[in-house]
Amino acid sequence: MGFSVSGSAALIFVAAFIGFGMFYTATANSFEQINDARDAQADTTLEQQNTDITVRDVTYNTAPSPDDYVNVTVENVGSTELSVADVDVLIDNEYRTGYRSAVEDDTSTELWLPQETLELNVTVSESTTPTRLKVVTGPGVSVTEVI
Amino acid sequence: MASVSASHLILFIASMMIAASVAGVFTNSIGQLSGALSEQGLDVSSDVRTDVEIISDSGSDAIYDNNGNGNITLLIKNTGTETLAVDPGVMDILVNGQFATTYEVSRVEGSGSWRQGEVVRVEIDPPQDSLNGDVRVQVTINGDEEVLEFRA
């Protein structure tokens, strides 16, 4: 009788050990993934809170150049470094691509740092006069302006 | 005496079989539970990482196409750290509380998946015949709800 009890106890003990091992691995992995996600989200939120931009100047030019264009000067008045590639420009709710941009007259840089101004030159159709402008930054902070 | 050892052997084998089956069921259940927990962890982490913003200019009157095809056009920017698929299946859309079933999703520039900082255009055919007055559109992506209100 003694062998049966200790033998089955040993079997159950080994099973419990294996079970705990599997459960612990799964729990620890999930916990770590969720913790990482929370940290990343907290970082993004902090960045969003620290981002602020303001429109310094908007001009609409119907000048003799082949196409009309809108010139926008936006200043990074927050404390985060923004990416020029992540900036979105909407004119009358139409997403614009292929516009020219310069940060402090530097057209090669991809960085838009605090207290620097970003100049955008957006070509618009000659048939309609643009009325509204929206500039959106990478973290999602945006400004709107009436042209 | 031989009958005693034989019965002991039978009892020993029986107890080991019972213990083995209990152990098998136990590890199997814990294995399934661990699998479910891992999947849930992945789901929750992608829910937490997902963050989108509707960047359409609600002040402009170009969101709802009154005169043309009657579509609502939304521009949605991925501001979270999760890469999403450019697919209607990733989002649920309500227009004035009614579930929209017909909509198309496309990247505004480039191709591939919808990474952080990138924008997609969503063309919604509203479930209502025509929209008047104030309109409320709610987009839900991985549990992240974004609302845009505008005048039609």
Side-chain angles (χ1 to χ4, degrees):
Chain A
M1 203 62 185
F3 275 122
S4 328
V5 172
S6 40
S8 10
L11 255 179
I12 303 244
F13 178 73
V14 169
F17 200 71
I18 295 171
F20 178 75
M22 288 195 294
F23 191 70
Y24 176 76
T25 318
T27 321
N29 278 350
S30 301
F31 184 74
E32 209 163 294
Q33 272 168 349
I34 295 169
N35 238 11
D36 281 356
R38 290 236 164 88
D39 280 352
Q41 203 49 32
D43 281 351
T44 321
T45 312
L46 182 70
E47 205 176 299
Q48 221 163 38
Q49 296 286 321
N50 280 331
T51 305
D52 193 12
I53 54 168
T54 183
V55 176
R56 287 272 172 257
D57 184 44
V58 190
T59 47
Y60 171 52
N61 283 298
T62 50
S65 64
D67 290 304
D68 292 356
Y69 58 89
V70 174
N71 266 338
V72 194
T73 311
V74 197
E75 187 177 343
N76 180 352
V77 288
S79 57
T80 46
E81 55 278 18
L82 302 166
S83 159
V84 177
D86 282 347
V87 169
D88 303 305
V89 182
L90 274 67
I91 291 182
D92 290 333
N93 198 41
E94 197 190 324
Y95 192 87
R96 309 307 298 228
T97 52
Y99 51 82
R100 292 153 296 281
S101 60
V103 177
E104 303 283 337
D105 295 329
D106 181 358
T107 52
S108 62
T109 183
E110 273 296 304
L111 290 175
W112 179 18
L113 303 175
Q115 308 307 323
E116 289 185 342
T117 52
L118 170 73
E119 281 146 49
L120 302 166
N121 176 271
V122 192
T123 308
V124 290
S125 154
E126 282 177 25
S127 53
T128 51
T129 310
T131 52
R132 291 184 64 89
L133 165 90
K134 184 169 187 173
V135 179
V136 188
T137 59
V141 175
S142 58
V143 280
T144 51
E145 190 79 19
V146 175
I147 300 172
Chain B
M1 207 51 194
S3 66
V4 172
S5 359
S7 56
H8 269 190
L9 186 67
I10 291 170
L11 278 176
F12 175 71
I13 292 171
S15 66
M16 290 306 271
M17 278 169 69
I18 292 171
S21 48
V22 167
V25 170
F26 184 70
T27 46
N28 198 23
S29 306
I30 292 199
Q32 281 175 345
L33 193 68
S34 306
L37 206 73
S38 298
E39 277 174 37
Q40 190 67 17
L42 267 179
D43 278 1
V44 172
S45 85
S46 76
D47 278 10
V48 172
R49 282 178 187 277
T50 305
D51 191 18
V52 294
E53 292 293 330
I54 300 177
I55 60 166
S56 295
D57 186 2
S58 52
S60 83
D61 51 6
I63 295 179
Y64 179 57
D65 189 357
N66 309 46
N67 309 318
N69 50 17
N71 278 0
I72 297 171
T73 307
L74 297 184
L75 295 164
I76 307 178
K77 189 180 180 93
N78 184 352
T79 52
T81 49
E82 177 83 359
T83 300
L84 302 161
V86 185
D87 184 71
V90 302
M91 56 183 81
D92 293 319
I93 297 174
L94 300 175
V95 180
N96 280 348
Q98 273 187 283
F99 195 78
T101 49
T102 320
Y103 52 91
E104 283 174 16
V105 184
S106 58
R107 287 267 308 271
V108 286
E109 53 182 334
S111 58
S113 44
W114 184 15
R115 293 173 198 286
Q116 184 175 16
E118 285 165 357
V119 180
V120 295
R121 179 182 286 115
V122 184
E123 294 261 355
I124 309 164
D125 184 10
Q128 294 86 351
D129 290 335
S130 66
L131 292 169
N132 290 305
D134 299 348
V135 180
R136 180 187 161 94
V137 181
Q138 180 179 312
V139 180
T140 310
I141 300 175
N142 278 353
D144 183 26
E145 292 170 1
E146 294 294 326
V147 172
L148 179 78
E149 288 177 292
F150 59 93
R151 278 190 288 272

